[in-house]
Amino acid sequence: MQIKEIDIDKIKVYENNPRINDKAVKYVANSIKKFGFLVPIVIDKDNIIVCGHTRYLASKELNLKTVPCVRAEDLNQSQIKAFRIADNKVHEKSSWNNDLLKEELTQLQDFGFNLEELGFLDFELDYIFGEESDIDSLFAEHENKENKKEKKVICPECGHEFAL
C-alpha cells in the first residue's frame, strides 16, 4: 500500500455516496487539526473517493491543499461499490464496553481533554458517567428534540418560506 499526497482539487466525490456525513465533518476536522491526517482517503483510478468523504469535506473546511490518499488499484467497480458501503456499515456492528469507555474518557478528562470534541453528546456523557440510567429513553428524548426542531420549507409554486 502506497500513500501519496494528492492535490485536493483533483479529488472528486462519489456522487451516489449513500452516507450522509455532514454532522461529522466538524469532528473530523477537529481530529485532523489535533492529531494530524492519520487515515488516508481511498480513491479509485479516476481520483473518485471510495472511502473518506468526511475526511475530504473536513480537509476542504481546513483549506488543506493536499491530502494523503491510497489508490484502490486492485479493485474492480463492483468491489469498489461493495467496499464503499462495507466501510461505512461494518462499524455499526461494534458496541462499547461502557466500563472501559468510562475509564478511558475519565483519563482524557484528567489530561484536560474536551470530550465533546470526540463527538459525544451531553446526554451520552451523562449516561457513561452514571448520571442517567436509561440510555434508550435518553436517545428517544434526544431524537424527539431533534425531530421537533423547526424545519423551513419553500413553496415551489410561489417561493414563500414557512416553518414546519
Side-chain angles (χ1 to χ4, degrees), residues 11-74:
I11 297 173
K12 303 169 207 141
V13 297
Y14 176 61
E15 290 185 18
N16 289 332
N17 181 25
R19 191 72 170 178
I20 300 167
N21 24 17
D22 299 339
K23 290 182 180 179
V25 172
K26 71 178 180 181
Y27 298 106
V28 172
N30 188 53
S31 176
I32 291 170
K33 277 194 294 192
K34 280 193 175 301
F35 311 117
F37 209 122
L38 299 176
V39 180
I41 295 171
V42 180
I43 56 175
D44 69 9
K45 63 181 174 35
D46 298 317
N47 289 347
I48 297 172
I49 299 172
V50 176
C51 300
H53 285 84
T54 310
R55 292 186 296 277
Y56 169 80
L57 294 171
S59 299
K60 293 287 255 184
E61 190 173 287
L62 294 170
N63 295 313
L64 298 181
K65 302 298 179 214
T66 64
V67 291
C69 294
V70 171
R71 200 172 299 281
E73 297 174 318
D74 297 340

Side-chain angles (χ1 to χ4, degrees):
M1 175 172 60
Q2 203 172 29
I3 300 173
K4 293 186 176 183
E5 286 287 324
I6 305 283
D7 183 329
I8 198 164
D9 293 329
K10 293 183 178 178
I11 297 173
K12 303 169 207 141
V13 297
Y14 176 61
E15 290 185 18
N16 289 332
N17 181 25
R19 191 72 170 178
I20 300 167
N21 24 17
D22 299 339
K23 290 182 180 179
V25 172
K26 71 178 180 181
Y27 298 106
V28 172
N30 188 53
S31 176
I32 291 170
K33 277 194 294 192
K34 280 193 175 301
F35 311 117
F37 209 122
L38 299 176
V39 180
I41 295 171
V42 180
I43 56 175
D44 69 9
K45 63 181 174 35
D46 298 317
N47 289 347
I48 297 172
I49 299 172
V50 176
C51 300
H53 285 84
T54 310
R55 292 186 296 277
Y56 169 80
L57 294 171
S59 299
K60 293 287 255 184
E61 190 173 287
L62 294 170
N63 295 313
L64 298 181
K65 302 298 179 214
T66 64
V67 291
C69 294
V70 171
R71 200 172 299 281
E73 297 174 318
D74 297 340
L75 301 180
N76 63 38
Q77 281 306 107
S78 63
Q79 290 172 318
I80 286 174
K81 282 184 178 292
F83 180 61
R84 185 178 283 124
I85 292 170
D87 183 66
N88 282 294
K89 181 65 179 164
V90 297
H91 80 277
E92 294 174 8
K93 304 299 181 191
S94 299
S95 60
W96 294 103
N97 176 318
N98 285 335
D99 292 333
L100 293 176
L101 178 60
K102 180 179 179 179
E103 185 178 317
E104 291 292 307
L105 292 176
T106 299
Q107 290 174 13
L108 285 172
Q109 277 184 320
D110 291 346
F111 292 135
F113 203 89
N114 179 355
L115 300 182
E116 289 178 11
E117 292 177 0
L118 300 175
F120 286 96
L121 300 172
D122 287 338
F123 77 92
E124 292 174 303
L125 293 171
D126 288 346
Y127 172 75
I128 293 164
F129 288 107
E131 296 174 27
E132 295 289 344
S133 59
D134 183 7
I135 191 67
D136 292 331
S137 66
L138 288 173
F139 272 104
E141 181 182 325
H142 177 72
E143 285 298 313
N144 286 337
K145 285 179 185 174
E146 285 294 308
N147 290 336
K148 287 182 181 177
K149 284 186 178 176
E150 187 175 282
K151 296 177 184 170
K152 293 183 181 178
V153 178
I154 298 175
C155 175
E157 298 292 323
C158 67
H160 177 73
E161 185 176 304
F162 57 96
L164 287 179

